[in-house]
Amino acid sequence: MNLRRLLLGGRTASAPVARERLQILLAHERGLRGQSDLLGLLRAEILAVVSRHIVLDPDKVVVRMDRGKTVSTLEVDIEVPNGVERLLAAAAN
Amino acid sequence: MAKVLVVTSGKGGVGKTTSTAALGAALAQAGEKVVVIDFDVGLRNLDLVMGAERRVVFDLINVVQGVAKLSQALIRDKRLDNLWLLPASQTRDKDALTDEGVRAVIADLRTKFDWILCDSPAGIERGATLAMRYADEAVIVTNPEVSSVRDSDRIIGMLDSKTVKAERGERVEKHVLITRYDSARAARGEMLSIEDILEILATPLLGIIPESQDVLKASNVGSPVTLNNAASAPARAYTDAARRLMGETVTMTVPVERKGLMNRLLGRRAA
């Protein structure tokens, strides 16, 4: 740090900070851009398929993508109302 | 084969209009037949930067709506007879532009010109999306500053998804033009470097326009900087960029101001 300050004539270089902030921000924003349509589509189709058998609250269907370095996970979280097993059993008979 | 080139940025005030005028004039000086179109409906300025503000009778909206013929709205430059301007309307708003109308105007211009330069408004709304809609190539004007780089990234995403070329599965050829660059400040680590910007945007470089007083001087008198003072640093940078657009290989340099001895001794900037 001292050496860098010395080389830069006593100033702190702000460009590396700008660069790092941008890289982090844009990685996030590009992710959102690519994903939003796919996730929305998945959510709509999953909702349609499950709704054929169970009455769902659309707000309780959550589709989320977590991007990791080597693998990414797709998380589908559907909250179903209580007593749905009985309805399913009745429907099967 | 005519080429449609959009000059865009997302962010306002980075130099889209200055760059459209300068590149258009440089291409025309090289013998190409060029039209520059102002897409900033309601806030037109390309006419002013080109020095044609008092010659506007009809505009892009009039042509789109069939009120005027294209030949009536086109304004021929007084300095270069193969450079033309199609001004925007100052009294209407952006909703007056329609996709179909823009498509028809661009298709007509393609039969008459070598280069069609579309000066995009700032933002990502209708005016900006229509300016890029029919583009074959794009110049993304970027300042070495975080908000400008972020907006450029967003615009690059739109060029890859919302243009006719992208929808057909083809690619709009994209170039980054860095304006208002100060190599001394970049060297001191006070400004994003060219390498930083190119790495972040992952798009090839068209040119580096140095921060210069000549740009303001040229717009003050209504002349593209490449015509107003061809020997100035920004003019040389724009001329090199125009040659690259024409497919020439030109070594990338940051032109520097040439200060006279007296000015240097007096520590004074050229007035």
Side-chain angles (χ1 to χ4, degrees), chain A residues 32-87:
Chain A
L32 289 180
R33 216 184 285 153
Q35 273 179 38
S36 55
D37 283 334
L38 173 66
L39 288 187
L41 191 67
L42 281 173
R43 189 179 166 281
E45 291 191 5
I46 290 168
L47 181 62
V49 168
V50 180
S51 296
R52 265 188 248 154
H53 306 284
I54 306 171
V55 179
L56 289 177
D57 177 354
D59 288 341
K60 301 291 167 62
V61 179
V62 178
V63 179
R64 194 180 299 130
M65 177 91 84
D66 276 318
R67 285 181 191 251
K69 267 198 173 155
T70 47
V71 279
S72 298
T73 54
L74 179 68
E75 182 188 331
V76 182
D77 182 359
I78 306 174
E79 193 181 305
V80 293
N82 279 337
V84 79
E85 295 88 347
R86 248 182 306 124
L87 289 171

Side-chain angles (χ1 to χ4, degrees), chain B residues 32-47:
Chain B
E32 304 282 295
K33 196 175 176 197
V34 182
V35 59
V36 291
I37 314 179
D38 194 343
F39 273 83
D40 205 343
V41 180
L43 287 171
R44 76 173 176 218
N45 274 319
L46 189 55
D47 56 332

Side-chain angles (χ1 to χ4, degrees), chain A residues 20-41:
Chain A
E20 200 180 318
R21 288 177 59 222
L22 269 173
Q23 279 172 331
I24 293 167
L25 175 72
L26 293 182
H28 175 70
E29 287 186 347
R30 285 171 188 159
L32 289 180
R33 216 184 285 153
Q35 273 179 38
S36 55
D37 283 334
L38 173 66
L39 288 187
L41 191 67

Side-chain angles (χ1 to χ4, degrees), chain B:
Chain B
M1 255 283 278
K3 273 195 182 163
V4 179
L5 178 107
V6 61
V7 180
T8 184
S9 69
K11 193 176 184 312
V14 295
K16 285 180 295 297
T17 302
T18 299
S19 297
T20 305
L23 289 173
L27 287 167
Q29 277 178 306
E32 304 282 295
K33 196 175 176 197
V34 182
V35 59
V36 291
I37 314 179
D38 194 343
F39 273 83
D40 205 343
V41 180
L43 287 171
R44 76 173 176 218
N45 274 319
L46 189 55
D47 56 332
L48 197 53
V49 171
M50 301 277 295
E53 70 277 10
R54 295 175 62 184
R55 299 170 63 204
V56 177
V57 181
F58 295 111
D59 57 53
L60 175 62
I61 301 295
N62 296 144
V63 179
V64 161
Q65 297 185 335
V67 175
K69 280 187 270 182
L70 187 55
S71 56
Q72 292 175 296
L74 285 169
I75 301 169
R76 189 178 218 155
D77 189 85
K78 285 197 165 163
R79 297 147 296 210
L80 293 170
D81 63 8
N82 50 343
L83 176 62
W84 301 73
L85 164 71
L86 182 54
S89 169
Q90 183 68 347
T91 51
R92 306 295 297 271
D93 64 37
K94 288 185 171 76
D95 295 333
L97 275 181
T98 61
D99 191 336
E100 175 52 32
V102 172
R103 189 199 61 73
V105 170
I106 300 256
D108 198 353
L109 290 170
R110 274 182 190 275
T111 66
K112 298 179 171 72
F113 290 91
D114 300 318
W115 289 91
I116 298 147
L117 269 58
C118 305
D119 182 21
S120 174
I124 52 171
E125 307 303 324
R126 190 183 188 84
T129 52
L130 283 177
M132 70 167 67
R133 182 84 186 133
Y134 297 94
D136 304 311
E137 294 192 32
V139 169
I140 301 122
V141 182
T142 307
N143 288 170
E145 183 269 324
V146 286
S147 56
S148 174
V149 176
R150 179 200 211 172
D151 292 357
S152 292
D153 190 74
R154 182 85 189 272
I155 285 291
I156 288 169
M158 290 175 66
L159 287 163
D160 288 338
S161 61
K162 306 232 158 136
T163 52
V164 168
K165 274 215 150 183
E167 285 170 6
R168 282 194 199 132
E170 298 167 37
R171 291 182 70 84
V172 171
E173 202 181 317
K174 303 182 294 289
H175 319 264
V176 170
L177 182 69
I178 298 172
T179 54
R180 310 200 68 164
Y181 188 70
D182 184 333
S183 27
R185 296 198 74 185
R188 289 198 298 267
E190 296 170 11
M191 184 181 262
L192 283 166
S193 68
I194 303 293
E195 295 73 30
D196 288 343
I197 299 169
L198 296 182
E199 190 194 324
I200 291 165
L201 295 179
T203 302
L205 180 65
L206 181 69
I208 306 157
I209 314 299
E211 172 79 65
S212 166
Q213 308 199 357
D214 288 290
V215 173
L216 181 59
K217 276 189 232 163
S219 78
N220 283 345
V221 298
S223 171
V225 68
T226 36
L227 292 184
N228 195 51
N229 181 0
S232 67
R236 284 180 287 142
Y238 276 120
T239 304
D240 282 356
R243 287 171 62 196
R244 291 185 194 106
L245 283 176
M246 291 187 291
E248 287 181 45
T249 309
V250 184
T251 314
M252 191 68 70
T253 55
V254 188
V256 288
E257 304 275 351
R258 288 175 187 146
K259 277 190 192 166
L261 183 63
M262 279 313 284
N263 281 333
R264 244 188 274 186
L265 288 175
L266 295 168
R268 193 172 69 186
R269 288 177 180 177

